[in-house]
C-alpha cells in the first residue's frame, strides 16, 4: 500500500499539537463535540439541499453489511417452471415407457410392482435394477428401510422418483447409480424423503465407485416440489461424476460430516430450488466441482464449520469453502447465502474467474488466518485466481476474523465492477486485486478496520458509480494503488477516508478535494449555497484523511465544507447522503478542487488539522 510521506505525517502531528495547545477552542474526539464555534466562510445557519445526481434511489440499505445474518431456511419458495423444450434436462421432455415401483419395508423384504421383465432383484431391502433395454424407465421409490439401498445399472436415461422414501444403508450409499446416462431425480410433490449412509462403506468394491450417500456416474437432474434430506456420514452427500443440476421448486437439505455437500465433477448448476448444505468436516466444501458452477435462481444456503488441514497435493493448508470451483463461477440470479466459521474458511473460491450478473449474494466468514513455517491459509469472502467481474445484483461480504489475509473480495488478477451493489467489510483489505482494478458503475462500499478499503496492486480506475472506501488509521488508505502505478478518478461519486491519502493522478478527468476530518463528523459539501452531498465519517477504526470526488466538482473552483451539520431527508448509502437538506453546522472551511490530489491533506474540518497543505482546503 502507498504510505503517507513521513514529512507530511510529522507536519500533521506538529499542526495537531499546536492546535491543541495554542487554541482555546478545540475538538474533543472522544465526545465528538466541538467546544466553541469556529471561523466560517459561509452562513453556517443556512439550510441547503444536496443535489441527487450522484446517488440514485434504491441503493442498498444503510449499514446492513455489518449486521445481516445467515441461517438455514427449509421453507419452499414460489418459482415458476418454464420448460425449455430444447433442453434435455427437463424431465417433461422425456417419455417413459414403463414405471416400476419399489416399496422398502422395515418388516420384511422390499416389494416390486410394474416389473414384467425381471429388471429388479431384491435381497432383503438391498434392491438392484439392471436394465438393458432401449426405452426410458421410471423407478418410483417409497417406504422405509434401516438396512438397504437402491442400485441402478442402465445404458439409457431414466428417472428415479422419490415418493416418501426413507433409506438408511449402514454399509454404504443409500442410492448408487452406476448408469452414465442422464438420470432425473423427481422429488414427488408433497413427499418427504430421507437418505442416510453409514460411517464406513463396506459395500464398496474395487471395480465400482461409491463416492457419496447419493452417488451417480452420470448426470443428476433434480426436479419436483417435494423435500429431500441427505445425511452423509462417510463421504459426500450428493455426487455425480458428470454434473449435478437442480430445477425450480426442488427442496434439498444436505448434512455432510465427512465429505463435500454437493459435488459434480464437471459442473454444478442451480437453475432453481431451495438448497441447504451443512458442512462440518475438515476442509470440506459445500458445493464442489472440477468444472464450473452456475447459479440462476432459487435460494441456496451453505454453512461450513470445519477446520483446516494440510494438503499434500498443493503442499499447503486447505480449509472449507462454501463453493469451490476449478473453473468459472457465475451467478445470474437467485439468492446465495454462505457462512464459514472455521479457520481459513472461504465463501466463494474459484481457480479461474467469478462473474456476478444478478441475484443476491451474502457471505460471512468468522475464522482467522493459519500461518506457520509450512504454509498458510486465510479466510476470504469471495476469491478468484482469475478476474472477478460484477455486472449487477447485490453482493454483501463480511469478514469478522482479524489478521492479515482476511479480505472480503480478492482477485489474483483483475477486478471489474460495472453495476449492481457491492458491500464489503473486513479487517484486511476489503477489496483487493493483484492486477488493475476498474469501477465503472454501481454502488460500492468497502470498509477495512485494519488495512485499505480498496487496494489495487497495479492501477486503480474509478470511472463511474458511487464508491465509499473506508480504510484504517495509521498509514492505511481508503483507496490505494501500488507503488509505480496510479489511481485515476474519471467519474462517479467517490468518498475515500483513512489514515493515509492515495495520490490521484493529474491525468484524471474529474476533480477532487482532500482535507483532514475528525471521526464521527457529518460534513456537507456545498457549491455556494447549493449542497452537493453530505458524508458522515466513521466513528472509530479509521483515519482522518478524507477525499471527495463528484461530477459536480470543477477543477480550480472553490467549494465549502460544513462540519457538524444536520441533515433532513435525502437518499443515503453508508454515510453518503444526497437529495437532503443540509442544516446549520459548527465549522466551515473553503477548499479548491483539482484533478490531482497529493499524498497529503489540505486544511482541517470538524476539528481536523488547521493550516494548509498542497492539494486541499484552506481555513
Amino acid at each position: 500500500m502507498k504510505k503517507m510521506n513521513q514529512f507530511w505525517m510529522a507536519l500533521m502531528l506538529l499542526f495537531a499539537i499546536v492546535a491543541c495547545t495554542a487554541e482555546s477552542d478545540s475538538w474533543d474526539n472522544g465526545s465528538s463535540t466541538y467546544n466553541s464555534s469556529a471561523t466560517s466562510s459561509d452562513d453556517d445557519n443556512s439550510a441547503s439541499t444536496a443535489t441527487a445526481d450522484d446517488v440514485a434511489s434504491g441503493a442498498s440499505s444503510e449499514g446492513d453489511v455489518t449486521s445481516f445474518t445467515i441461517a438455514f431456511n427449509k421453507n419452499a419458495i414460489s418459482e415458476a417452471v418454464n420448460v425449455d423444450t430444447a433442453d434435455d434436462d427437463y424431465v417433461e421432455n422425456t417419455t417413459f415407457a414403463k414405471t416400476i415401483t419399489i416399496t422398502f419395508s422395515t418388516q420384511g423384504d422390499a416389494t416390486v410392482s410394474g416389473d414384467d421383465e425381471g429388471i429388479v432383484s431384491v435381497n432383503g431391502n438391498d434392491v438392484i435394477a439392471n436394465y438393458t433395454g432401449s426405452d426410458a424407465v421410471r423407478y418410483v421409490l417409497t417406504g422405509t428401510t434401516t438396512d438397504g439401498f437402491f442400485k441402478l445399472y442402465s445404458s439409457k436415461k431414466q428417472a428415479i422418483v422419490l415418493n416418501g422414501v426413507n433409506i438408511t444403508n449402514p454399509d454404504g450409499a443409500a442410492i448408487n447409480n452406476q448408469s452414465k446416462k442422464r438420470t432425473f431425480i423427481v422429488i414427488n410433490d408433497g413427499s418427504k424423503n430421507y437418505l442416510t449412509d453409514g460411517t464406513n462403506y463396506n459395500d464398496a468394491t474395487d471395480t465400482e465407485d461409491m463416492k457419496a450417500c447419493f452417488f451417480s456416474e452420470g448426470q443428476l437432474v433434480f426436479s419436483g416440489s417435494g423435500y429431500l434430506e441427505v445425511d452423509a456420514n462417510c463421504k459426500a452427500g450428493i455426487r455425480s461424476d458428470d454434473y449435478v443440476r437442480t430445477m425450480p421448486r426442488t427442496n434439498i437439505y444436505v448434512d455432510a460430516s465427512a465429505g463435500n455437500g454437493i459435488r459434480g465433477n464437471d459442473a454444478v448448476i442451480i437453475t432453481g430450488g431451495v438448497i441447504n448444505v451443512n458442512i462440518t468436516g475438515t476442509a470440506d466444501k459445500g458445493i464442489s466441482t472440477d468444472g464450473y458452477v452456475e447459479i440462476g435462481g432459487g435460494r441456496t444456503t451453505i454453512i461450513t464449520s470445519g477446520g483446516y488441514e494440510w494438503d499434500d497435493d498443493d503442499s499447503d493448508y486447505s480449509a472449507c469453502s462454501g463453493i469451490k470451483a476449478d473453473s468459472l463461477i457465475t451467478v445470474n440470479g437467485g439468492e446465495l447465502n454462505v457462512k464459514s466459521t472455521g479457520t481459513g474458511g472461504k465463501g466463494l473460491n474459484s481457480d479461474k474467474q467469478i462473474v456476478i450478473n444478478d441475484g443476491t449474494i451474502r457471505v460471512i466468514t468468522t475464522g482467522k488466518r493459519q500461518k506457520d513455517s509450512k504454509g498458510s491459509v486465510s479466510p476470504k469472502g469471495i476469491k478468484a485466481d482469475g478476474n472477478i467481474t460484477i455486472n449487477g445484483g447485490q453482493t454483501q461480504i463480511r469478514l469478522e476474523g482479524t489478521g492479515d489475509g482476511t479480505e472480503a473480495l480478492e482477485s489474483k488478477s483483475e477486478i471489474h465492477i460495472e453495476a449492481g451493489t457491492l458491500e464489503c467489510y473486513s479487517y484486511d483489505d476489503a477489496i483487493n486485486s493483484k492486477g488493475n482494478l476498474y469501477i465503472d458503475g454501481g454502488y460500492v462500499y468497502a470498509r477495512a478496520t485494519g488495512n485499505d478499503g480498496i487496494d489495487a496492486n497495479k492501477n486503480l480506475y474509478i470511472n463511474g458509480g458511487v464508491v465509499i472506501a473506508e480504510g484504517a488509521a495509521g498509514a492505511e488508505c481508503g483507496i490505494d494503488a501500488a507503488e509505480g502505478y496510479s489511481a485515476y478518478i474519471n467519474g462517479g461519486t467517490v468518498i475515500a477516508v483513512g489514515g493515509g491519502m492515495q495520490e490521484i493522478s493529474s491525468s484524471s478527468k474529474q476533480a477532487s478535494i482532500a482535507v483532514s476530518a475528525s471521526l464521527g463528523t457529518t460534513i456537507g459539501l456545498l457549491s455556494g449555497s447549493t449542497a452537493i452531498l453530505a458524508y458522515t465519517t466513521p466513528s472509530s477504526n479509521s483515519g482522518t484523511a478524507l477525499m471527495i470526488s463528484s461530477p459536480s466538482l470543477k477543477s480550480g473552483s472553490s467549494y465549502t465544507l460544513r462540519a457538524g451539520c444536520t441533515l433532513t431527508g435525502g437518499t443515503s448509502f453508508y454515510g453518503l447522503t444526497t437529495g437532503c437538506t443540509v442544516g446549520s453546522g459548527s465549522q466551515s472551511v473553503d477548499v479548491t478542487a483539482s484533478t490531482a490530489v497529493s499524498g497529503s491533506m489540505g486544511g482541517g474540518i470538524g476539528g481536523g488539522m488547521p493550516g494548509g497543505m498542497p492539494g486541499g482546503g484552506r481555513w
Side-chain angles (χ1 to χ4, degrees):
M1 73 194 69
K2 187 168 293 185
K3 310 298 182 182
M4 290 190 60
N5 183 283
Q6 292 182 351
F7 169 77
W8 288 120
M9 291 180 65
L11 190 56
M12 283 181 62
L13 179 61
L14 175 61
F15 280 139
I17 294 173
V18 170
C20 291
T21 56
E23 301 288 330
S24 59
D25 296 335
S26 62
W27 186 269
D28 183 351
N29 283 323
S31 62
S32 298
T33 302
Y34 192 64
N35 294 332
S36 179
S37 59
T39 303
S40 174
S41 61
D42 73 339
D43 182 6
D44 282 341
N45 293 317
S46 63
S48 304
T49 301
T51 59
D53 58 345
D54 296 329
V55 182
S57 62
S60 173
S61 56
E62 181 78 12
D64 188 38
V65 73
T66 64
S67 60
F68 73 91
T69 60
I70 292 176
F72 290 125
N73 183 353
K74 298 180 183 179
N75 293 329
I77 58 177
S78 177
E79 292 181 288
V81 179
N82 300 313
V83 177
D84 183 350
T85 57
D87 189 340
D88 289 339
D89 276 349
Y90 284 88
V91 67
E92 293 86 351
N93 296 332
T94 297
T95 300
F96 297 93
K98 63 178 62 183
T99 298
I100 298 174
T101 300
I102 299 160
T103 303
F104 292 92
S105 174
T106 57
Q107 304 302 317
D109 295 348
T111 58
V112 180
S113 63
D115 180 16
D116 55 3
E117 299 180 34
I119 296 170
V120 178
S121 62
V122 176
N123 180 11
N125 282 276
D126 296 348
V127 180
I128 300 175
N130 193 339
Y131 181 65
T132 59
S134 58
D135 297 322
V137 177
R138 180 190 291 113
Y139 301 90
V140 179
L141 307 185
T142 188
T144 299
T145 178
T146 57
D147 188 2
F149 60 77
F150 177 67
K151 191 173 186 179
L152 174 63
Y153 298 92
S154 173
S155 59
K156 298 294 180 180
K157 64 182 177 180
Q158 57 270 308
I160 299 175
V161 180
L162 305 179
N163 188 29
V165 69
N166 189 333
I167 301 174
T168 297
N169 182 6
D171 296 309
I175 296 179
N176 185 355
N177 178 26
Q178 290 294 308
S179 172
K180 295 185 178 181
K181 298 298 182 179
R182 179 182 288 106
T183 301
F184 301 101
I185 310 302
V186 181
I187 310 171
N188 250 8
D189 296 354
S191 68
K192 294 184 178 181
N193 306 272
Y194 303 88
L195 303 176
T196 305
D197 65 1
T199 56
N200 61 72
Y201 277 21
N202 294 328
D203 287 344
T205 67
D206 294 335
T207 58
E208 293 179 349
D209 289 333
M210 187 189 293
K211 302 176 181 176
C213 181
F214 191 148
F215 173 70
S216 178
E217 288 285 353
Q219 306 101 313
L220 287 178
V221 182
F222 291 84
S223 63
S225 63
Y227 174 75
L228 170 62
E229 185 166 313
V230 179
D231 186 4
N233 300 293
C234 185
K235 296 187 179 182
I238 297 172
R239 175 164 179 169
S240 167
D241 276 350
D242 203 295
Y243 66 79
V244 176
R245 184 176 183 182
T246 67
M247 293 302 194
R249 301 199 307 154
T250 54
N251 194 332
I252 300 172
Y253 174 75
V254 177
D255 190 335
S257 58
N260 299 323
I262 299 175
R263 176 170 172 79
N265 278 15
D266 294 346
V268 175
I269 306 165
I270 298 176
T271 305
V274 174
I275 313 298
N276 289 289
V277 181
N278 185 38
I279 299 296
T280 56
T282 300
D284 290 329
K285 323 303 179 189
I287 292 176
S288 171
T289 179
D290 294 339
Y292 68 92
V293 171
E294 181 177 319
I295 299 176
R299 183 182 68 230
T300 301
T301 303
I302 303 169
I303 297 179
T304 72
S305 56
Y308 64 94
E309 66 182 5
W310 180 256
D311 189 329
D312 288 329
D313 293 336
D314 294 336
S315 297
D316 207 345
Y317 287 110
S318 176
C320 289
S321 292
I323 296 179
K324 173 64 173 69
D326 289 357
S327 187
L328 176 67
I329 296 176
T330 305
V331 181
N332 294 320
E335 181 180 333
L336 173 62
N337 306 292
V338 181
K339 183 176 181 179
S340 179
T341 63
T343 297
K346 297 174 177 61
L348 280 64
N349 185 7
S350 170
D351 290 348
K352 292 188 178 178
Q353 298 185 52
I354 295 177
V355 178
I356 299 172
N357 294 316
D358 203 352
T360 300
I361 300 174
R362 302 180 185 92
V363 177
I364 299 173
T365 75
T366 64
K368 296 183 178 181
R369 183 188 192 193
Q370 158 63 21
K371 182 179 181 181
D372 56 28
S373 59
K374 293 173 62 179
S376 66
V377 62
S378 299
K380 308 287 181 183
I382 296 179
K383 171 190 173 293
D385 289 346
N387 291 349
I388 295 177
T389 303
I390 299 178
N391 295 316
Q394 179 175 6
T395 302
Q396 295 180 307
I397 309 168
R398 181 172 77 247
L399 272 66
E400 297 179 357
T402 59
D404 293 343
T406 53
E407 295 168 321
L409 184 79
E410 182 194 50
S411 167
K412 296 298 184 182
S413 186
E414 294 186 343
I415 293 177
H416 297 257
I417 301 171
E418 304 292 337
T421 301
L422 172 64
E423 303 161 57
C424 299
Y425 182 95
S426 62
Y427 175 83
D428 207 338
D429 299 331
I431 300 175
N432 178 276
S433 67
K434 187 175 182 179
N436 294 328
L437 198 158
Y438 303 85
I439 301 176
D440 295 323
Y443 292 85
V444 178
Y445 173 69
R447 175 77 161 104
T449 61
N451 211 326
D452 299 322
I454 298 175
D455 184 13
N457 285 281
K458 288 187 178 179
N459 292 320
L460 171 62
Y461 301 89
I462 300 178
N463 302 316
V466 174
V467 180
I468 314 295
E470 298 172 345
E476 315 305 343
C477 301
I479 61 174
D480 184 65
E483 289 288 344
Y485 295 89
S486 298
Y488 303 87
I489 298 180
N490 300 316
T493 298
V494 184
I495 306 290
V497 62
M501 179 74 70
Q502 165 67 45
E503 294 182 7
I504 305 300
S505 171
S506 60
S507 298
S508 298
K509 298 178 181 179
Q510 182 169 290
S512 306
I513 60 172
V515 295
S516 175
S518 295
L519 298 178
T521 303
T522 298
I523 300 170
L525 173 61
L526 299 91
S527 176
S529 61
T530 301
I532 298 173
L533 57 83
Y535 173 67
T536 301
T537 60
S539 59
S540 62
N541 296 325
S542 187
T544 59
L546 173 64
M547 187 200 72
I548 301 174
S549 182
S550 166
S552 298
L553 298 179
K554 306 300 179 185
S555 183
S557 296
S558 179
Y559 300 89
T560 299
L561 290 175
R562 180 185 297 172
C565 52
T566 58
L567 306 179
T568 304
T571 300
S572 295
F573 181 69
Y574 287 95
L576 170 66
T577 305
T578 59
C580 62
T581 298
V582 176
S584 61
S586 58
Q587 180 188 16
S588 292
V589 60
D590 290 338
V591 292
T592 301
S594 173
T595 55
V597 175
S598 68
S600 54
M601 280 74 65
I605 185 70
M609 178 193 63
M613 286 190 185
R618 299 290 185 268
W619 283 98

